[in-house]
Amino acid sequence: AQPESEGLDFNVNLGAQNPDPQPPQEEYKQPPQQDKGDHLLRSNIPFLKATSHPGICLWHILFKVLAIIFYLFLNIFLDNDMMVFIIVVLLNSFDFWVVKNITGRILAGLRWWNEIQENGENLWKFESLNQKKESNADTRIFWFTLYLYPLIWAVLFILKLISLSFFWALLCFVGICLGGSNAYGFHKCDQEQQKKLQSYVAKGAFNVFKGKLLG
């Protein structure tokens, strides 16, 4: 295809002496500007310095940290066990939704959900990128905190069972269920992505071999 020349002036005065040709002036392009919020997070929070999505990484961690801190220390300032229970459950619920629908998709390229069929069967569904995300600061933060979070609640659950604090053991069990559901869902989703990528590689290799054989 011929390049478009619309808008360019090709008129040349053949009778005039051509001056020394001047090198074409390259149009100055502004370098891409970083988001000020991301830059601020990278500058002030050391473990976010190497991340590509510091804001998303912070959201991935925020509700987890708040839920555990409030569980451990909120009773010091709030003399109402039921209110503490409700606040921590809400923080766990917020974390579950954010990880499942936002941070997992952006940081790991994965998404999962389940559907209840008409016969009552629980059907798990997985969605992933065709290309696995390379291991970087984003993915390491995602997977490390994803698996660590339900483990922390499991330890707290055991401690409360030993001390016969069944009210707080129930709260820890809620944290295990919500955090564990995300950990299990993304683990299965990651496995499905690996199977899909292996299938693509095998299919591509077969097509190359077939092309050489027929060629």
Side-chain angles (χ1 to χ4, degrees), residues 108-110 128-134 189-205:
L110 303 171
S128 62
L129 297 175
N130 291 331
Q131 182 177 3
K132 188 176 178 65
K133 285 214 168 191
E134 297 181 2
C189 197
D190 186 56
Q191 288 183 329
E192 290 294 323
Q193 184 188 44
Q194 292 180 14
K195 290 179 183 178
K196 186 167 67 172
L197 292 177
Q198 290 172 359
S199 174
Y200 286 154
V201 171
K203 186 176 180 181

Side-chain angles (χ1 to χ4, degrees), residues 165-215:
S165 300
F166 299 111
F167 178 81
W168 297 112
L170 177 61
L171 179 55
C172 296
F173 184 72
V174 172
I176 294 172
C177 290
L178 292 175
S181 295
N182 261 335
Y184 177 78
F186 281 109
H187 174 71
K188 293 290 292 181
C189 197
D190 186 56
Q191 288 183 329
E192 290 294 323
Q193 184 188 44
Q194 292 180 14
K195 290 179 183 178
K196 186 167 67 172
L197 292 177
Q198 290 172 359
S199 174
Y200 286 154
V201 171
K203 186 176 180 181
F206 174 77
N207 289 335
V208 171
F209 175 76
K210 182 180 177 181
K212 289 185 175 180
L213 186 65
L214 297 177

Side-chain angles (χ1 to χ4, degrees), residues 15 33 35 48 55 100 114 116 133-134 151 171 177 183 185 210:
Q33 294 184 353
D35 184 85
L48 296 178
K100 180 175 176 290
N114 52 17
I116 305 299
K133 285 214 168 191
E134 297 181 2
L151 289 178
L171 179 55
C177 290
K210 182 180 177 181

Side-chain angles (χ1 to χ4, degrees), residues 102-121:
I102 299 176
T103 64
R105 179 172 53 84
I106 296 175
L107 300 180
L110 303 171
R111 184 169 172 260
W112 68 270
W113 67 97
N114 52 17
E115 296 178 356
I116 305 299
Q117 304 298 300
E118 293 181 357
N119 58 3
E121 182 183 356

